Amino acid sequence: MDSLRPEIIDFHGVSMSHYFTDNWENVQNFQARPDDILTATYPKAGTTWVSYILDLLYFGQTAPERQATMPIYERVPFLEICRPGIDSGKDRADELPTSPRLIKTHFPVQFVPKSFWEQNCRIIYLARNAKDSLVSYYHFCRMNSSQPWPGEWSTFFHDFMEGKMVFGSWYDHVNGWWEKKQTYSNLHYMFYEDLIKDTGRELDKLCSFLGLSPSAEEKDRVTNGAQFDNMKKDNMANYSTVRIMDFKISPFMRKGKVGDWKTHFTVAQNEEFDDDYKKKMKDSTLQFQTEI
Ligand code: PPS
């Protein structure tokens, strides 16, 4: 453990760490523009993947030097991040010279600054099944010294079910955004597992939501460029430039698979998880795939 690691705090009823609440007032007052595109996810759902796809779609041809020289977290700022020694995500978003501006958040829906709704911005929500999200988050917390210490696997496993994670309960997050989709039409809700199964089809749906009609050639370029193996070796996408992440413990681009939870959950843990899941998700119409 090291001294950077924050505690989990209760913030307006959601477990958070101060790195994502310290800039709260400024973030809440963020002035969105009508063409801003917000990508929202619970942590580890594939935010970087969709960010990369969006960046290629919008700027891959007009500004290829972006992909070669700017890390993904500068191309697509993380709105609520506020850590000593780096510009806040809000300032980075304010300073983006591009149109549209691509912005990322892990906020539960009720924390999103109101200007995004007022400006009727396009919002993409990417969800990933709970079991793989848990596993990915566990390894991320081990390797990232700005996350609370995850403890032993079994501790983290139970904390996840109890929503004692930075950005709160996975169950509340995916459901909160799903409910929002019923009333806010500029929200495109997609699933990591679908993106894995058929990236081309998901790209088509995404483009249709965004009002883009890339050529077949361009679509291939985006789909191929954003493949796991390509992103893993791309230093501008794989977070290797971030000092607080220790890749010797676990790389950011770790496995990129559906079903890796099977190598972590014991049979008993799986039963416990499924029982609890049924209770927590009983009123939800959301359906997730935990294997493909
Ligand atoms: S973060 O830190 O919350 O922003 O992380 P996030 O980018 O949301 O999620 C990281 C996980 O997404 C996987 N990933 C991918 N999977 C498949 N294809 C591509 N191109 C891809 N890019 C990122 C990444 O490997 C993390 O999942 P795990 O299961 O840990 O490998």
Side-chain angles (χ1 to χ4, degrees):
M1 276 197 259
D2 69 47
S3 56
L4 266 177
R5 288 195 181 262
E7 298 292 320
I8 296 255
I9 53 168
D10 180 273
F11 190 78
H12 299 292
V14 178
S15 292
M16 292 291 288
S17 93
H18 73 93
Y19 289 132
F20 307 109
T21 59
D22 280 350
N23 204 22
W24 179 253
E25 292 299 325
N26 289 329
V27 170
Q28 289 306 305
N29 290 324
F30 179 73
Q31 293 301 306
R33 297 183 196 145
D35 65 342
D36 285 347
I37 298 172
L38 183 67
T39 300
T41 64
Y42 190 76
K44 313 320 291 176
T47 334
T48 314
W49 193 6
V50 166
S51 300
Y52 197 83
I53 288 174
L54 289 172
D55 188 66
L56 281 179
L57 273 174
Y58 281 101
F59 309 116
Q61 289 199 313
T62 53
E65 71 285 356
R66 258 171 82 85
Q67 285 85 36
T69 58
M70 284 175 80
I72 192 70
Y73 48 83
E74 286 179 15
R75 285 179 263 160
V76 185
F78 184 3
L79 185 63
E80 58 270 27
I81 199 166
C82 177
R83 283 208 351 258
I86 59 164
D87 294 338
S88 74
K90 193 260 178 192
D91 286 349
R92 277 189 179 158
D94 274 336
E95 285 157 19
L96 280 177
T98 56
S99 175
R101 300 186 297 186
L102 306 174
I103 301 167
K104 148 188 170 175
T105 185
H106 286 318
F107 272 160
V109 68
Q110 70 274 22
F111 283 5
V112 171
K114 65 178 186 315
S115 62
F116 283 101
W117 312 116
E118 290 167 352
Q119 298 293 340
N120 197 32
C121 296
R122 286 193 174 91
I123 303 184
I124 297 155
Y125 187 79
L126 179 69
R128 185 179 193 183
N129 81 74
K131 293 177 181 178
D132 284 325
S133 296
L134 192 173
V135 168
S136 182
Y137 211 173
Y138 173 65
H139 290 292
F140 184 67
C141 290
R142 290 170 57 235
M143 63 81 113
N144 183 338
S145 63
S146 72
Q147 283 290 319
W149 180 246
E152 294 298 316
W153 160 251
S154 68
T155 307
F156 193 85
F157 175 85
H158 287 106
D159 285 350
F160 183 94
M161 287 196 282
E162 289 168 29
K164 287 196 231 153
M165 299 278 115
V166 177
F167 294 105
S169 151
W170 175 92
Y171 312 85
D172 292 346
H173 207 284
V174 296
N175 282 314
W177 278 97
W178 184 244
E179 279 159 30
K180 187 73 184 180
K181 176 185 155 62
Q182 318 311 319
T183 54
Y184 184 79
S185 58
N186 248 355
L187 174 55
H188 182 65
Y189 201 107
M190 44 193 304
F191 296 90
Y192 178 91
E193 295 74 23
D194 289 339
L195 205 47
I196 289 271
K197 271 204 301 203
D198 193 340
T199 312
R201 188 190 55 196
E202 291 307 305
L203 185 65
D204 283 343
K205 291 201 273 187
L206 182 63
C207 287
S208 144
F209 169 70
L210 296 169
L212 300 176
S213 14
S215 65
E217 199 179 289
E218 208 175 325
K219 277 195 286 192
D220 280 350
R221 192 177 46 80
V222 173
T223 316
N224 294 333
Q227 273 176 11
F228 182 83
D229 291 342
N230 282 339
M231 285 180 58
K232 190 176 170 79
K233 58 181 186 238
D234 177 355
N235 287 339
M236 293 298 116
N238 62 16
Y239 279 84
S240 56
T241 44
V242 176
R243 181 177 56 78
I244 54 171
M245 296 185 185
D246 185 346
F247 282 19
K248 288 196 288 305
I249 298 177
S250 181
F252 182 88
M253 300 288 298
R254 198 181 56 90
K255 288 200 178 165
K257 291 205 168 0
V258 180
D260 186 44
W261 60 271
K262 290 180 188 171
T263 64
H264 291 71
F265 284 41
T266 64
V267 172
Q269 282 174 337
N270 195 33
E271 281 169 11
E272 183 185 351
F273 195 89
D274 285 347
D275 284 348
D276 180 70
Y277 188 92
K278 275 187 208 116
K279 287 182 206 138
K280 292 208 168 81
M281 298 295 278
K282 72 177 178 347
D283 296 325
S284 179
T285 53
L286 267 171
Q287 298 287 335
F288 283 91
Q289 303 160 82
T290 52
E291 50 196 317
I292 52 174

